[in-house]
Structure formats: C-alpha cells, structure tokens
Amino acid sequence: MAAEMVLSRRPGQPHSEVLSEADLEELGQRKPPSKTSTRDYLRKARCSASTAKSLLFRFIPVLRWLPRYPVKDWLLGDIASGFSVGIMHLPQGLAYALLAGLPPVTGLYSSFYPVFLYFFFGTSRHNSVGPFAVISVMIGSLTDSLVPSDDFLEFVNGTNVTVVNEAQRDAARVELVATITVLTGIFQVALGLLQFGFVVTYLSDPLVRGYTTAASVHVLISQLKNVFGVSVGEHSGPLSLFVVSEGLTDTLESPDVTFIEICKKLPETNVGTLVTAIIAMVAIFIVKELNHKFSAKLPMPIPIELITIIISTGISYGVNLNSKFGISVVGNIPSGMKPPVVPNTRYFGQVVGNAFAIAVVGYAICISLGKIFALKHGYKVDSNQELIALGLSNFLGGFFQCFAISCSMSRSLVQESTGGNSQVAGVISSLVILVTILKIGELFHDLPKAILSAIIIINLKGMFKQFTDFRTLWKSNRVDLMIWVVTFVATLLLNLDIGLGASVAFALLTVIFRTQLPHYSILGRVTDTDVYKDVAEYEKAQEVPGIKIFRSSSTIYFANVEMYSDALKKKSGINVDRLIEKKKKALKKLKKQQKKAQKEKAKRKKDTDAECNGPGVAVIELSGEEGGTPPEPTLRSLGLPQPNFHAVILDFSPVNFVDTVSIKILKNIFKDFHEIEVDVFVASCPASVFAQLERGNFFSSTITKHCFFPSVNDAVLHLNGRTCPASENLSTKM
Amino acid sequence: MAAEMVLSRRPGQPHSEVLSEADLEELGQRKPPSKTSTRDYLRKARCSASTAKSLLFRFIPVLRWLPRYPVKDWLLGDIASGFSVGIMHLPQGLAYALLAGLPPVTGLYSSFYPVFLYFFFGTSRHNSVGPFAVISVMIGSLTDSLVPSDDFLEFVNGTNVTVVNEAQRDAARVELVATITVLTGIFQVALGLLQFGFVVTYLSDPLVRGYTTAASVHVLISQLKNVFGVSVGEHSGPLSLFVVSEGLTDTLESPDVTFIEICKKLPETNVGTLVTAIIAMVAIFIVKELNHKFSAKLPMPIPIELITIIISTGISYGVNLNSKFGISVVGNIPSGMKPPVVPNTRYFGQVVGNAFAIAVVGYAICISLGKIFALKHGYKVDSNQELIALGLSNFLGGFFQCFAISCSMSRSLVQESTGGNSQVAGVISSLVILVTILKIGELFHDLPKAILSAIIIINLKGMFKQFTDFRTLWKSNRVDLMIWVVTFVATLLLNLDIGLGASVAFALLTVIFRTQLPHYSILGRVTDTDVYKDVAEYEKAQEVPGIKIFRSSSTIYFANVEMYSDALKKKSGINVDRLIEKKKKALKKLKKQQKKAQKEKAKRKKDTDAECNGPGVAVIELSGEEGGTPPEPTLRSLGLPQPNFHAVILDFSPVNFVDTVSIKILKNIFKDFHEIEVDVFVASCPASVFAQLERGNFFSSTITKHCFFPSVNDAVLHLNGRTCPASENLSTKM
C-alpha cells in the first residue's frame, strides 16, 4: 500500500495547495496504532479504502488537480484557449476525416469524445489531443486497402454506368476504423498498465522526425486528387518504387504510384476545384503567417481555417458549385449523437499490427509534445498515465465512431499561446465541437472537399520544415542522419506500418554499427599527472617505458572482440603471432636436438654402463634431466627478439559487459602475451564486468585477480615497483 | 603495390625457409633506383610482375607453402593421416548424400573435388573439408521441398500402384543441388574478396552451438525413417509446432510433424531394417569409444565405419536382404567421373536465401574449427582466404554434381591426431576417394541404407554433447544461454534457414538489452587514493562532501538516456523535478508580487508626480528597477530547501558514443541542475565522444568546455579549489 502511495504521489504533479495534499498524505501514510488489535478491522478497512482512493487518484488525475484548480488565475485563459482550439478542431476534424477515408462527421466525433475523456485521465496540461494528420493517413491507408471503393460499385438504374455506393462504403469503413481505434486503445492501456511507456524510447527523435516527414509526403499526395478534382484508384500495402508490374499494382500502394496516376490524369483536372483549392491555400497560408508574425499582438490567432470553410460553404451553397462546376463537396453531415456500437471483432486479425503501430506512433507524438511543454512550464507528465489516458480515449471513442487520435502540434501550440493552463482548455474545446455536432454540423453540407485538402496541406508546413533536419543532422551527427534518411525512405516506400518496423530495426542496428568500428588507442601518461590519454591525440601524453596501455572506444562483445584482439596486437608494435610461431618452431627444434642429444647420451651411457655395470647412476642422471621440469626456455635463450615492453595494460573503463565469446578471446590475449613473456593487466574494470568475468570462468591459475587494478595509474605504479594504495585498499573487496 | 605486398605477407603464414621468403621480399620491396628515369619501364614491368606474383601467392597459398614443405618431417604423417581420413570420407560421404536427399555417388564426388581443390587454396592445415551433417541437412530440407518425391510418382505398368521414379527424381535433385552449391560458392568467394570474413563474427559461439545442436535434432529425426524402415512424406518450409491443420501441412515442415508421422507409422516398422540399424549403431558406438579410450596406443583409429559398411554390404549381398526382408539398399553407384555440367540458373531465385545461409554457416564452422587448430599449433588461418578457398571448392564442385561442403569436426580431429601436418593429408584423402569412385564404388550397391543412418546418428554424438552447454552457460552467462536457447528453439521450429536469420537478429538484440538495463552508481573516493568507486559496493569508497559523482555501467544512447537522467536525479537524493517546479511557482509568485508592488509604487508615484511635477526622478527610479536586470533570486532567497551538494560529476568513461537524443537529454540535465544551483561537470570523456558532442552543438554559453575534466579526480580537485595539473596540461588540447 505504501508503494502504491508513493506511486500515486509522483514527483512533479500539480499540487498547488498544501492542505489537500497533507490531507491525502495523512490518509495514506498515517501509521495506525500498532498494538491495539481491536482496531485492526477498522485499520484494514481504512487502508483498503485509502488504497482504492490512491489508485483512483493515480488513474484519474483530474480528481487530484481539479479540486486545487486555481479558478481565479487560470479559468479565463483556459476558456479563451479552449474556444480558439475548438474553432481549430472543427475544420481539422472534417479534414482529417477526409484523410482517413471516412465521412466528415467522424472527424467531429473524434474531436469531441476523446478530447473530453482526456480531460479526466491526461496529465499533460497543454497537449491538444484529437485528430492528427499522421495517424489519420495511417488509418486512411488501411481503409483504402481493406474497404476499397471498388467493392461498392453499383450500376446506375438501367444504365451501364457504375457509381460507388458511398453510404454502404462509409458504413463499412466506419465499422473497420472503430475496430482499429478500439484495438489501438487496448494496446495503449495495456502498455500503460504494464509500465511499458519506455517502448517509445525506441522511437528516437531522428526516427520520429523522419517518419512524420515521410507521412506528410503520404498525406500531401493523398490530397492531390482532391486539389485537382480527379479520381484515382486506391492503392495500399507495401510497394516498391521500381516494380510496378501489372500483376502487382493491386497489392501495391505507393505515393509514387498514386502520384504517377495523378500526373497521368492531370488533363482531366477540374479547374473549378483547383482554383478553389489554390485560393484557399493562399488565403490560409498568408493569414497563418500573419498570425505567426503578430502572435504577440493578437489576443488569439485569426481562425482563418474556420473563416475559410464558412465563406466557402456559403459560396458553394449560393453558387451551387457542386452541380454547376462538378466540385465535390463534403455532403451530408448528420446531426446529433449516435448510440455506441460494439466494434466488429472480425477485423481484429487483419488490423492488429497496424493498430499497434498506430498506438505507438500516436503515443510517441503525444509524449514528446507533452514533455516539451512540461519542461517549459516546469511540471511533469507521467508517461505511463499518458498511455492509459490516450488508450482510454481511443478505446471508448471507438464505440462512438471515432478514429484513433493523437496530439496535434499546431493545435497544442495555439492552446498554449492563447493562455491555456490546464486540461480545462481541452474540455472547453470539446464542448465547442459538441455544439457543432448537435446544431451546426449539417450546415457544412456544401463545403468543397478541396477546401479541406487546402487546410490539410497548409498544416503540413511544419512537417515539411523537418526537411531542414537533413542539414542540421549532417552537421551534428551522421549516424542519426542515416536513421532519419532510412526512416524517411522506408516509410515512403514500404508504407507507414512496415516502414515503421523497418526503421526501428535499423535504428537499433546502428547501435551495433557504432560499436563495430571502434577507435583503438595506446595511452600514455600526461606529464606530471596520473591521467592517461591517447598518445596519438595528446602531445603531452607519453608512453610509459616498457608498458603498453591499450583502450578501445567501445564495449567489447562477440561482434567486435576479435577486432579488439587484432588491434591490440597491431598497436603493440610487434608481430605477436609471428613471434609465437617462431617460438614454437624454435622449441620444436630444441626438443628434437635435446632428444637427439639424449639418445646419443643414452647410447654413450649404455656403452659406459656396459663398461661400468652401474645402473644407479643412469637413473639419477635421467631423473635429473627429465623429471625436474627444466625451466621453460626464454625467447632470449631461443635466440628470438624480445618485445620492447614487458607488460600490457587493458583499460576496461569503456567495457559495459562481457559475453562468453569475449571471455574466450580475452583468455587468448593473456595466453598469447604470456607466450612472448609479456604480462597482461586489466585496469578500471567495472564491478559488474568483473562479476561477469568471474561467472564466466575467466580466472585460472595463470589469469588471477591480481592482474586487475582499480585504475591504470595503479597498475603502472605496481609495475614500476611502487606501492599502489588503491589496490591495497580494494584488493580484499575484489 | 606495397599494400598488396603487406597483405600477401600476412603474419603467421608458414614460412619455414627463410631463404625463399627473403627472395620474395626482395622482389616485392627492393627500392628501384629512384632517379634513373631510363630504368622506369623496367621497374614498372618488374613491379607489375611482382604484384601479379604476390597476388598469386596470396590467393593460391599452396604456391607459398608447398616449395617449403618439409618432406622428411611431415610427409609420412600426412600420408597416414590422409588414408585414415579418406577411409572416413567414404562412409560419411555416402551417408551425408542420403541426408541431403541425393544419390550416394554425389557424396563421393563431394568428398573428392572440393577436398582436392582446398589443397590449393586453403590455409588451415588440419581442417578436413568435405560433407558435413549440418550443411547436408540444410540441403536436404531444400531438396525435399523443391523436388519432392511426390512429383515423380508413376503407375507401375498396367496396375494402379504408384512408385517413385527415383532416377528422374534424383536427376532433378542433383541439378537443384548443383545450383545451390555453385551459388554458395559464389557467395563465399564474393565475401572473401570483399574482405567480409567478419560477417561470421555475428555468428557468436553460443549461437553456432545452439544452431548445430538444433540441426542435429533435424538430422536425427530425418534418419529415423531409415532406421525403422518406414516411408513418410517429405515436409519442408517454416512450420509451427502447434498449427498442423490440414491445409498447412503441405507447406509446413518440422521435425515434429515428421516425428509424429513416424510415430504413427511405427507399427509398420521393418524389423529387419531396425535390427540392422541397431546392431550397426551398437558396434560403431562401442568401437568409437574404444578408439577414443586407446587413442594414444593406436597408430590410427579402427575404421569401424568402413568395416561396418563392408561387412554389411557383404551380408546384404549374400543373404539378399533387399528382396528377402525388404531392407532398402543404397542402389546403383555409377563408376567413373562425370563431365562438368553448367548449373541450372532457373533455381537461382528460389534458393538464393538458402545458399547464403549455407555459405555463412559452412564458413562459420570451418573458420571456428580452423582457428582452434591454428591456436593449438601456432599458425594462423587467413579468414578471408578461407572463405575464398571454401567458395572455390564449392563453386567448382557444383559443376561436378557435388553438394555444398564445410568441415567435419570428427574427420578433422582424426586428421590431426593421426599425424596430419598440412593440406597434403587432405589431398591424399581425396585420392583415396578418387580410387573409390573409379573402381570400388559400384561394389556398395547392396549396402543397406539403415547402416548409413546408423553412421550418421552415431556421428551426431558430439553434437548432442552440446546440450551440456545449457548447464555451462547457466553458470557462466545467462544472456548467452538465452541466445543458445532461442537459437535452438528457433532453428528447431522455423527450420534451418529462417531460424538462422531469427537467431542472428536475436543475438544482436541482446546487445541492446544488455545496455538497456544498466547499473547506475554514485562514486566515492577510496580512502587515501585518487580512485573513485561505487559507494554501495566498496566500504572504503566515501562520497566527497558536496559532490555527487555519477556513473552508468553502460554507454548512453537514445534507448536508455532517459533512464540515465532519471537515475541521476533519483540517486542524487533530492527530488530535482519537484524542486524546480516549486522554484518556478515561487518565482511566478514573486513576479506577481513585484508587479503588484510596482503598480502600487507607480500609482503612488503618479500621485507624488502629480504633486511634484518632476518626471526625471520617476524615469531614474524605473530604470533602476527594471533595466538593471536584478540578480536572479536564489533558492535560499525564495525560501526553498537547498540541495546538500553543489556539484554533480558525470563519469563518462563507459560512454562509447553519443547521438542527438542523448545530447538533448544531457543538455536538459545541465539545465535542470543549474536551475537548482548545482554545477554539472563531465569527467573522463573519451576524445571521440567529445568530438561528437562538439559536432552535436552540445556546448553553449552555459555548457562550456571548462565543464570537462580528464579524470574524476581532476574534477574533484578543481571543485575543492586545488590545482589540477592534468586539466592544465590538457586544457589547450581539448
């Protein structure tokens, strides 16, 4: 229970009023009278009550912060911010529904239910949850592939012309997306409950940025058809840019294929649609720039998106753009709420992978945005609770025809800049949408789709700015640039789900690559100090005479330990293997000579014995020669060159762990150098690595723990015959 | 050219005669008279000739060592060893051909051509190349799946009974396998030429052992049908142990499926076959044990396998086992050689993945065996040349109906123990096989297949011994045990090709896992020394007052840097985030109060101004209050608790590299601690990491290079106001 309490009182949660917190603490932590057994029952009851309460407080953060909400200071800002965001929600919701291949009203639902729910469960005060382009396009690629329009072709009465039965198609798509959304929610809640929020650390910054950039390219290309007013087939699934054979196009989707198709159909462009889109884009772009420029002076940004859709709807209705110019419009937006529908489990198998990808990506975007705001405003978001909050929003939303949501950067920035202080702004924005759903939505029947596409495209501006990452990363970190580029290309070509998996795999592999090409160096002592540095890089670092100190820049493990061994031998300046080979040969020769000499001696002795008949002498002589293990011949006695150093010190400070392969090779290093009469020592070996070496049977009669020194300097002092206090102080412990 | 020469004179190659080597060196390295331009042409000609020669020497090692072959010392041993190995080649070749699903004569070819070719190109003196169980079973699973017997069913004349047209099937299989073998060879040569011998480092020891153990289970189960004399269908492809639905069994292969089928068919066991197999197994097993026990006393191991096949062939022929008891026999073995056949490129696409797996596994086994012998006998195998040697053996062998080869542990051990000294032993063993192919092979027509299965099964003994790895690894290294187990299970269930890929991926992931759960520690100074150790582990290590020294056991990168930051904050003993939050709140409050005070002041001033009419004073007063940037309020002045330390030192010695994510988080660490008036320093940062930090724009006006110290001790000395010689000596360099 105590642990529960600790968890529930995470550091950095808003506790502005000391009183209520003290209250809470008292409830959870008061020590009940320990020896009064009569009160045991009462105590237990109170405990479990307080456990339940602390759990409630933990999983429903609103209970914790709402009672302490500083009404006077925050409410006004939150209301203003909520309205601004709500006004953005309306056009974005309609637009992202279009992107997800769904009827526009689902975008409104998605801007209401999840946003409302997040109020209760979320811990980020500035995130504006709701529809988001990247997530919407992920859903869109699924709806296109699993419920393609072609499945709903019908013959127009009595003619040979086929049209898509949009009502049926949309119903099927809503059903599919509801399943995806519920599944996404389940994944997120499960990950949150299992405290698996850390999975998102695998989505490193360059990866997420490369991914969202590629996603925005997908978004852009998916919207081109609306801008030009042409109709193209729907493609989906992983595809190759190069193989576009007839048989494959069915299962292939690529922005490129779509792009090529659109280019082919450009002559069929609907000029009215194109003009509408361009005017809208220019207007929105200019006003957004002005908003940005004068953000300090404006009380709230000009809601240009809302204005555009209102005006364009008005014009469209007045001029009847749809029937006169064939400009396609949003169509029917039903008023009022729908009763909840249980999702169709039939799709679970087909979409489980995608739902997981959506769950992780959606969460990654939310948490990274949330952390930025938290850092700026000095509070903390609870990463696991965020998962649960998003998950519940999605899960429950799925029952109400919502599609999966995440956070939108543009909306969140508005929420923050217009004075939003807490989740209250979110709930107010959701109420704005609620009113729209109930009363105003149906008025947007004549809104041209091109306007929505224009809104989507202009909102991509921030994403496309990420292309400048290329230059930044080129300057700062090439490996991260590689991750960015690979993610971008993989996501573009393999599509959003498989691309994500491939990118994560690649990012993890880079860790391997980075340890695969380490920098090996010989260290020398810096004049007048105990510090040892690479002699190749520091002039003042000079090798200690007779001692080679060797360090690798990376940890050693199965994939690079042989390089480590080779580099050590190479850097030591002598050809170790060659010398060993020579020694073995010389030894063999010596043995042969000895055998020969012995034989001759024995022969001579035999002769002598025959003469003397004294066998005792022979026995003694023999044992003197063979039994007494003569001292091993040295390199010098074999006439071989001796290495110009007598000791090697391996600096193990960059070693993070060892495995059996590296232990084997390390043993060989010890053996090889002993062979050429060089002692090997290990310095600065971390305690955990030492323990692993011990478990791995590294130590033997020749490799003892006395070869280990706590620091390079200690090893050098020891070798130079001086006392090394650190080793003495630690030797008993190691 | 010089580089070429250096390469050609790799250390550790056999050069027993100094003369010839000096000769060679002279040719390659003699400096031509530099200023005599008239001799330029001659010099160039000589150079290119010597380049060509050095290349030849490099790629055809036999040219290098054969002229210096110590005939007197080595030849006898090599001949004896060659005969012993040749005698083993015969039964093993026949048996492994059976394992590969091929006619027995291909086993003989595979024991001749590649072995003969290896003589010219190989650098290992003790490896016995040739057919190997693991590689054969990899091929076998391919022949079973791509050329199943079912495709060659024919109606027996005039009846409804179908039999397999074995001749046709075998011809098709030989064609397929020749393609695989050639492709394997191409891969190996290509990897060798690209100096990609290091790929094998990814196949770490536990992985190879787990893999070969699983492969031997595959081998065992594949041979059970021959032992029991039942016929079962052939399965192949990745399979699941659990899903054995009707529709899937076609595409599924699993030892388990086969195993279940064999169990079902046990009642149909051919008793004669079973008895034959059991007798043979017992005999071979006992004699092998005796061989092992008396290996010191026997001049060469008793060739029990050869004896068994000779005796059993004799009995089989005499009693006519085949027709009387239905014991299936080897059948026709054609005499003489076949002309080379160009492989069928039609299969390339289907087998390219498997060929790559075979290439890598075959090489991995060879090189690991070769290195063991090289270490023992003090010479060196050239890993890239080994790849080329194996590759050429396979490539050329493929034209002569050979299947892919590797090295056999059992044969290599015999080759070494019977006195083999060089590749000459190999060439002699191949000549033994040549004689067999030309003259003796056809005599084995009546050899029961059960005998070959018995030989295969008994030869698996060494592999099955690897199950004891489980215990060893459990004691020495759990992560390596995990690799072993995952490899074993994956290979067993997913089959030999996909299993290998999955295992390698898993082994690489363990590197990530190992860095994902680092051990974080606070360091303290060991009494009377400059050494800093974990205070939790060493009693004599004591924290320096006012300074927290923090170290992670692993490198930091995107997947663990947040944990690093959290651990630092946790280990520092104070709630950093909470304190920052409190500070921000206090600051806000203060600002508000100041504003209020200012307003009041302004108001009062206005009143005063109205009275005095002297605006000059007000201006001065204002600028004094606002323009002069008052000193930032401290924690103390805000009434907040101060942390009980004034500095944090991050020990960066285990850091191998940094990426942009870790730089971002490190910056935040600096920022957060500055916020609570704690200075952050970095010690022992490797030069390469320092350079990466620099490129990554880590340094700013607040994070300067003065925060970096060459060692923890230097940083502590600096903080305690003493001089730190090392930093002074190095500061200009960093």
Side-chain angles (χ1 to χ4, degrees), chain A residues 18 76 80 87 149 164 185 229 254 257 263 266 276 279 423 431 494 510 545 553 605 637 656 692 730:
Chain A
V18 180
L76 216 69
I87 284 168
S149 297
V164 174
S254 123
V257 172
C263 288
L266 274 191
T276 314
I279 293 174
Q423 293 91 322
L431 295 179
L494 302 176
T510 58
S553 68
K605 211 176 293 157
S637 73
N656 302 166
Q692 284 167 7
L730 291 170

Side-chain angles (χ1 to χ4, degrees), chain A residues 698-711:
Chain A
F698 179 68
F699 297 104
S700 63
S701 59
T702 48
I703 310 176
T704 65
K705 293 179 187 178
H706 296 294
C707 302
F708 280 65
F709 289 89
S711 74

Side-chain angles (χ1 to χ4, degrees), chain B residues 57-68:
Chain B
F57 272 64
R58 185 180 161 206
F59 288 119
I60 312 181
V62 69
L63 297 178
R64 205 164 38 194
W65 61 263
L66 198 61
R68 283 175 268 139

Side-chain angles (χ1 to χ4, degrees), chain A residues 570-587:
Chain A
K570 208 175 152 198
K571 289 256 177 189
S572 74
I574 56 161
N575 194 332
V576 178
D577 297 310
R578 182 76 194 279
L579 195 56
I580 295 173
E581 197 189 343
K582 275 187 174 167
K583 190 189 167 184
K584 289 220 162 148
K585 246 174 225 164
L587 273 178

